[in-house]
Amino acid sequence: MSEFFYLIPAFTVLVGALVLMFMSMYEKYETKDFIIVSTIFLVIALGFSFVDFSESYSIRPFNDLANNVLIFDTYSNYFNILLIVGTLLTILIGEHYFQHRAYFKGEFFSILLFALFGMMLLSNANELITAYIALEIASFAVYIMVGFNTENSKRVEAIFKYLVLGAFIGSFYLLGTVLVFGATQSTNLTEIGTYIATHSGDDMILVYIGLTLILFTFLFKIAAFPFQSWVLDIYRGAPMLITAYMASTFKIAVFSFFMRAILQDFAPIIDFWDTIISVIIVLTLVFGTWLAVTQNIVKRMLAASSIVHTGYLLLAFIALSYKDGAIINVDAAYATMFYLFAYLLSALGAFGLASHIISETNVKVTYDDFKGLAKERPFLAAMMTIFLFSLAGIPSTMGFIAKFYVFTEAISAGYTGLTILAIMATAVSVYYYFKLIAVMYFYPPKSECISEEFNDKRVSTYAIAFVAILTVLGGVGSAIVFFIPVMNIDSIIVLTQTAVQSLFIGQ
């Protein structure tokens, strides 16, 4: 098969972004047209990604030209599918939201696809500078989308905060890269991995310092303590759908690169950060839980809860351990990838449904504003309940299975204390998630929040329903609907195993 074939998904997304950019020059196109064109390009990219979905492969296309800076393998393809699906669902779920806000012009959808292109490039990166460029392409696109409505002061404040902090933390990444290059004379992950495997002692000092600085960038992007201070204000100031995109899809892209680096090249030194990451997990879980409990605005509660989920992901991350030249708990990588899939669906569903509900009004913001939603629109309340159940880790949902895998792997790796803390955080999360469920079902609606003649027969409603079904099927529901192999729990785990194994082809 031609090497160019593996480039088609990313190339399709890039062409789609350019087409949308040129379309935005003409006023004759409406928001609906941009949604349709975006969807077409994403479906095409997704279709090509599924061609080699279950095969284990690893190639470095046009190596003489690209100089080994990109790897296309089953691992990157798995994440590319998640990223494309996350972007596609963001557009479909936000169909109503986008069309009822005049500031969402054609340029917005072009920028969204540029962000996706940067994320896909990041998942394929095999070199530090390439990864930085890909990360900045995605980051700057997200910055613009956060502040796209320049007439809203909260949006403008959010973009400046995010831009300044993001640029500041980016300098840590570059400084770390310089230090790593100074020690290894290379920024290629494979060559750095070779240096790590063949050196020790004083030769590794610059590498440790440099990679720790790069780790700071990773922790900032996923909103781990103490780098989470930007989350509430920026998530609150951003449009609801962009908040969903940042909390789920963008986080997946960041994990894709750093997991590749750890599993494929930096495994011999991962234990160096055990103490640091253990402390960060404790503080992330505690601080994120406290923030979520104290919020009255639903959007800020979901934003704060995303910090807690970062703690769970780091718990799976730290469960990876290295001994005798190999990762001895590679199952933790499978658990992390499964959790990212589950969180993508749950977070997009919860944020997306909230945006769908407020599409024609800005009233439903606090917990009280959601009172009586089950009486007004029981179908939407039921779907929100499914997403909240999944985020809380309630049995019968994909979120429960994901937490179960993460906690099991953490215990098997010897992190029993951290796992107990994570279980306690999960128990507390039941309070702030079920608080929203309670106000939807057990309180009468506020008169000023009652929606009349609201048409729920829309693309966004069906997209949210589809995500809700997947969330249940990905849980124990897959044992009942066993004839859908893609959403069977065992099938997803097999796919994650195939993806991780592709990292070691040729080694």
Side-chain angles (χ1 to χ4, degrees):
M1 188 177 294
S2 172
E3 292 181 342
F4 180 74
F5 177 83
Y6 297 98
L7 305 177
I8 291 179
F11 185 73
T12 302
V13 171
L14 179 59
V15 171
L18 294 173
V19 169
L20 289 165
M21 182 176 66
F22 287 117
M23 283 178 60
S24 65
M25 297 168 58
Y26 303 95
E27 296 183 358
K28 64 180 181 180
Y29 295 111
E30 300 178 351
T31 302
K32 182 179 179 181
D33 299 320
F34 290 100
I35 292 175
I36 293 173
V37 173
S38 302
T39 302
I40 291 173
F41 276 101
L42 290 174
V43 169
I44 293 173
L46 188 62
F48 279 105
S49 297
F50 271 116
V51 172
D52 295 317
F53 187 44
S54 58
E55 297 180 9
S56 183
Y57 66 91
S58 177
I59 69 163
R60 307 187 184 199
F62 308 107
N63 205 22
D64 294 337
L65 178 64
N67 197 28
N68 197 24
V69 300
L70 293 174
I71 293 181
F72 288 79
D73 50 20
T74 313
Y75 174 86
S76 62
N77 192 48
Y78 175 88
F79 280 102
N80 283 341
I81 288 173
L82 292 188
L83 295 172
I84 295 171
V85 168
T87 307
L88 181 60
L89 289 175
T90 299
I91 292 174
L92 295 179
I93 291 173
E95 175 262 347
H96 195 218
Y97 186 85
F98 292 140
Q99 293 199 55
H100 281 77
R101 276 150 179 77
Y103 55 84
F104 284 116
K105 305 294 184 181
E107 297 91 337
F108 175 86
F109 298 94
S110 175
I111 294 168
L112 182 61
L113 262 64
F114 274 119
L116 173 60
F117 174 73
M119 295 177 198
M120 293 176 69
L121 195 63
L122 183 62
S123 69
N124 291 284
N126 188 47
E127 195 261 342
L128 293 176
I129 299 298
T130 303
Y132 177 77
I133 293 172
L135 183 61
E136 289 305 298
I137 290 173
S139 296
F140 272 92
V142 171
Y143 298 156
I144 296 170
M145 289 189 291
V146 167
F148 203 77
N149 180 15
T150 56
E151 296 180 1
N152 187 317
S153 60
K154 290 183 179 179
R155 305 277 195 264
V156 176
E157 179 185 357
I159 185 177
F160 274 106
K161 283 184 178 180
Y162 197 20
L163 178 61
V164 171
L165 292 174
F168 177 72
I169 203 67
S171 65
F172 280 79
Y173 184 103
L174 290 177
L175 178 58
T177 301
V178 170
L179 294 176
V180 171
F181 179 80
T184 65
Q185 303 304 306
S186 176
T187 56
N188 186 279
L189 294 184
T190 304
E191 295 175 5
I192 295 172
T194 301
Y195 182 92
I196 290 172
T198 56
H199 292 75
S200 60
D202 292 342
D203 293 338
M204 290 293 294
I205 292 177
L206 286 180
V207 174
Y208 282 126
I209 297 173
L211 293 181
T212 301
L213 292 174
I214 293 174
L215 178 67
F216 289 164
T217 304
F218 168 63
L219 296 173
F220 173 85
K221 294 296 183 180
I222 65 173
F225 189 92
F227 304 98
Q228 84 304 325
S229 58
W230 58 274
V231 169
L232 290 189
D233 289 339
I234 292 168
Y235 279 20
R236 176 73 177 92
M240 183 69 82
L241 263 301
I242 301 309
T243 302
Y245 197 63
M246 294 166 63
S248 56
T249 311
F250 191 34
K251 188 173 291 188
I252 287 175
V254 175
F255 261 98
S256 68
F257 172 71
F258 283 93
M259 276 189 62
R260 174 189 292 279
I262 291 295
L263 291 170
Q264 183 176 275
D265 303 297
F266 301 159
I269 60 172
I270 58 176
D271 293 338
F272 174 76
W273 295 290
D274 274 4
T275 303
I276 298 174
I277 295 181
S278 295
V279 173
I280 288 173
I281 290 172
V282 172
L283 295 174
T284 299
L285 290 173
V286 172
F287 190 74
T289 299
W290 176 77
L291 280 179
V293 168
T294 56
Q295 300 305 314
N296 292 320
I297 298 174
V298 172
K299 189 177 181 182
R300 287 174 68 94
M301 179 274 288
L302 292 173
S305 73
S306 72
I307 299 174
V308 183
H309 287 280
T310 294
Y312 301 143
L313 285 165
L314 287 176
L315 182 60
F317 204 67
I318 199 178
L320 294 167
S321 50
Y322 183 86
K323 186 177 180 181
D324 297 330
I327 296 284
I328 61 174
N329 191 28
V330 73
D331 287 349
Y334 310 149
T336 305
M337 295 170 71
F338 187 93
Y339 196 101
L340 288 169
F341 187 13
Y343 183 67
L344 171 69
L345 296 178
S346 304
L348 267 181
F351 279 107
L353 184 50
S355 71
H356 177 75
I357 292 171
I358 67 171
S359 291
E360 295 180 347
T361 174
N362 289 317
V363 174
K364 292 184 183 295
V365 176
T366 67
Y367 279 98
D368 288 343
D369 294 330
F370 279 80
K371 285 182 177 178
L373 181 65
K375 296 180 177 64
E376 288 186 73
R377 295 147 82 181
F379 181 63
L380 295 185
M383 289 192 293
M384 178 63 91
T385 301
I386 290 174
F387 298 133
L388 295 175
F389 272 18
S390 184
L391 289 170
I394 302 300
S396 80
T397 63
M398 197 172 183
F400 167 75
I401 303 297
K403 280 189 172 65
F404 178 79
Y405 282 144
V406 168
F407 295 163
T408 301
E409 296 306 325
I411 291 174
S412 66
Y415 296 98
T416 306
L418 287 177
T419 306
I420 292 173
L421 177 63
I423 293 173
M424 293 173 61
T426 301
V428 175
S429 74
V430 173
Y431 164 75
Y432 51 81
Y433 288 133
F434 277 49
K435 181 180 177 181
L436 181 56
I437 296 173
V439 299
M440 289 192 299
Y441 279 92
F442 303 117
Y443 290 86
K446 294 172 66 175
S447 57
E448 62 269 28
C449 295
I450 295 177
S451 302
E452 297 181 0
E453 299 181 358
F454 192 100
N455 180 18
D456 275 331
K457 295 181 179 180
R458 309 187 61 89
V459 172
S460 52
T461 311
Y462 298 128
I464 294 168
F466 175 72
V467 176
I469 292 170
L470 292 183
T471 303
V472 175
L473 290 181
V476 294
S478 62
I480 301 173
V481 194
F482 57 86
F483 51 83
I484 305 181
V486 175
M487 287 308 298
N488 183 278
I489 297 171
D490 293 334
S491 298
I492 298 173
I493 293 297
V494 169
L495 290 174
T496 62
Q497 292 173 345
T498 304
V500 171
Q501 289 165 5
S502 71
L503 294 173
F504 308 109
I505 293 178
Q507 291 189 7

